Structure formats: structure tokens, C-alpha cells
Amino acid sequence: MSDRDNSTAPVDPRPAGRSHIGVSCSFVCHDGEGRVLLHLRGPKARDSREVWDSGAGELGFGEDFEECVRREVGEEFGATALGLVQVGVANVRRTSGDVSTHWVSVQFAVLVDPREVTPSEPDRIGNLTWFGENELPTGLHPALPSLLARAAPHIGWSAVRT
């Protein structure tokens, strides 16, 4: 938990990442045996629907990066983060149609117990699947290859082509 008082945090009506830079924590969950957990982004995902992704969430006001990751792993996959390693920071800029987004994403590799993983947001996250290093599906989220490449040493992979 953070020792900051968030009760007076200003409310910004603009959607994060669209009208100003948003801050997120992205993560790839792994089982400690060389497999990573990916999911198909569902119809109510914020953007990039129907692509394979790992996990991410918007950093809350006053929230620490690690707190954000632990919260999101629980919300998205019903699991507890057993170990966290920060693997990088990325500028994620995309345009889809007439909407441009810009996120600064603090990236993590997260160890989880596969027996704890359960679908928890079916409209946003579907088809939870474990993949080995040479089993990745096609149709990855645009930011996922660079996250996997940075996390590779921490999940027991040799390398990931970006």
C-alpha cells in the first residue's frame, strides 16, 4: 500500500492515454517453467480487441507500480503475484482509425501459480492460454513482442524476435 492520501486527488475527465499521456503497468505472467499466460482481448477491452495480449492496467493516482501490477493480476486473472521483476519502460503510441493513444508503460515479468488462474473479466479477457517459447500465436498486441523480449531472461526464454 502507498502511504499517500488519495482522498483529494484531482479528477481529470479526459480519457487517459488519449487526450494526454497515460501511465500503465504492463506485465507478462509466467509459471516458472517457461510458459507465459496470454489472452484474447475481448469485445469490451479499451482498444486493440481480438488480439493476443498479456496483461496491463492504468496506474491509479498515488499507486506504486508494484501495487498496480499486483492489483491487475488479481483483477484480470484471479491470481496472486508471487514474484515481480521490472523489465523495462516503453512508450506505447498507436493510432486506430481517428483515435491516437500514448501510454508510458512500466513493464514487469510476474510469477504466478497456474492453478490460481481463472477468467475474471469475460467481456474484456477471453481464452486464457499458456504458451511456451516456440508456441506463440499470431495476432499479438502491437506492444507485446517488445515486452516478451525484455521479459525473456526472467521467464527462461532465450530470446523473442520483435
Side-chain angles (χ1 to χ4, degrees):
M1 294 286 288
S2 174
D3 57 358
R4 296 176 201 91
D5 177 7
N6 298 337
S7 61
T8 59
V11 176
D12 189 337
R14 302 173 297 174
R18 290 191 183 180
S19 55
H20 62 287
I21 297 171
V23 179
S24 70
C25 290
S26 56
F27 52 90
V28 58
C29 291
H30 67 96
D31 64 358
E33 301 288 326
R35 296 183 310 156
V36 298
L37 179 65
L38 301 181
H39 68 276
L40 275 174
R41 293 175 62 90
K44 293 194 177 176
R46 182 187 321 237
D47 56 23
S48 299
R49 294 170 189 90
E50 301 304 320
V51 297
W52 288 96
D53 201 2
S54 55
E58 183 177 353
L59 183 70
F61 184 87
E63 188 174 40
D64 294 327
F65 301 132
E66 293 81 3
E67 288 175 303
C68 178
V69 172
R70 290 180 191 284
R71 174 179 51 78
E72 289 291 337
V73 168
E75 288 175 7
E76 294 183 4
F77 306 130
T80 301
L82 302 175
L84 300 171
V85 177
Q86 185 179 340
V87 297
V89 177
N91 240 334
V92 182
R93 294 175 285 215
R94 298 186 310 261
T95 300
S96 178
D98 62 348
V99 176
S100 293
T101 60
H102 185 176
W103 291 88
V104 173
S105 181
V106 182
Q107 301 173 318
F108 289 84
V110 181
L111 176 64
V112 298
D113 182 341
R115 296 170 296 186
E116 285 189 355
V117 173
T118 57
S120 57
E121 295 180 329
D123 290 340
R124 296 171 197 246
I125 295 173
N127 202 10
L128 290 173
T129 307
W130 291 94
F131 293 96
E133 181 174 9
N134 297 310
E135 303 169 342
L136 293 176
T138 58
L140 299 178
H141 185 284
L144 185 56
S146 65
L147 170 56
L148 290 171
R150 289 177 173 150
H154 304 283
I155 57 181
W157 289 9
S158 56
V160 174
R161 293 178 190 89
T162 58

